[in-house]
Amino acid sequence: MLDIQDYILFVFLIIAFITDVKYHKIPNWLSAGGALVGVLYHLIMGGVDGLIFSFLGLLVAGGIFMVLYIFKAIGAGDVKLFAAIGAIVGIQVVLYLMMYSVIVAGLIAIIILLFTNTFLKQITSAIFHLIETITSKDMSWLDDFKTTKSTRFPFMYAVIPATAITYYYLYFV
């Protein structure tokens, strides 16, 4: 059975999806607002236990995605987005969302690579950039590849299907 927090999450994700696709950015007011709504909701509904539930979700999601941000796998907006999601739904649901989001993003990336004519060139270029980065111990080669040659897409393209998968498995199976 879905709770109010689930509906808050759905509205939050729809707004985040629209802004990410349209502007390629998730605004800070949205992430901060989502986190604040999540914390306040759980504080009001569960008292101190709800506050702890919300803060743990925020810290775990933000911390894990911060590691991905440090390795430049995702943007800072995605870190803040998932911290807010953690504040809204807690650790268990946000961990599933994170796992499915990364899997769906990988599948989307593979599909993009397979259906573009540059698949072999991209893979070859990526391997050479990775080898050059390892041998020279200079991250600028890899940074150059990510900014000029890699295929990027809004992470929200993966988050929305991941949310559907998560809720399907958590509540309907």
Side-chain angles (χ1 to χ4, degrees):
M1 188 72 174
L2 296 176
D3 292 328
I4 294 173
Q5 70 184 23
D6 300 315
Y7 294 109
I8 292 170
L9 175 68
F10 300 153
V11 170
F12 175 70
L13 289 178
I14 289 168
I15 296 167
F17 178 80
I18 292 168
T19 57
D20 194 21
V21 169
K22 191 171 183 179
Y23 303 109
H24 296 280
K25 182 177 171 115
I26 298 171
N28 289 334
W29 64 263
L30 180 61
S31 298
L36 182 64
V37 166
V39 168
L40 288 176
Y41 170 77
H42 288 291
L43 178 63
I44 292 167
M45 298 306 287
V48 174
D49 289 339
L51 183 67
I52 292 169
F53 171 86
S54 186
F55 268 124
L56 285 176
L58 184 143
L59 292 174
V60 167
I64 292 171
F65 265 48
M66 181 60 77
V67 172
L68 292 175
Y69 172 72
I70 290 169
F71 289 106
K72 298 184 181 178
I74 59 172
D78 299 318
V79 175
K80 294 177 273 187
L81 172 85
F82 269 88
I85 292 171
I88 295 169
V89 294
I91 294 174
Q92 180 186 10
V93 176
V94 81
L95 286 174
Y96 280 113
L97 269 169
M98 291 165 63
M99 176 185 68
Y100 289 128
S101 293
V102 169
I103 291 169
V104 171
L107 292 173
I108 291 171
I110 289 170
I111 290 168
I112 289 171
L113 288 174
L114 287 176
F115 288 102
T116 60
N117 294 333
T118 61
F119 175 68
L120 193 54
K121 288 192 287 187
Q122 290 251 359
I123 293 296
T124 306
S125 179
I127 290 170
F128 282 124
H129 276 84
L130 186 60
I131 290 170
E132 186 62 38
T133 299
I134 292 170
T135 57
S136 70
K137 296 180 183 170
D138 179 17
M139 294 297 285
S140 65
W141 289 92
L142 193 57
D143 291 337
D144 174 56
F145 174 76
K146 285 188 214 175
T147 57
T148 60
K149 296 179 178 62
S150 66
T151 303
R152 300 187 68 101
F153 58 91
F155 193 58
M156 287 303 295
Y157 287 166
V159 175
I160 298 298
T163 303
I165 293 167
T166 298
Y167 276 85
Y168 174 76
Y169 281 114
L170 285 178
Y171 295 105
F172 301 114
V173 173

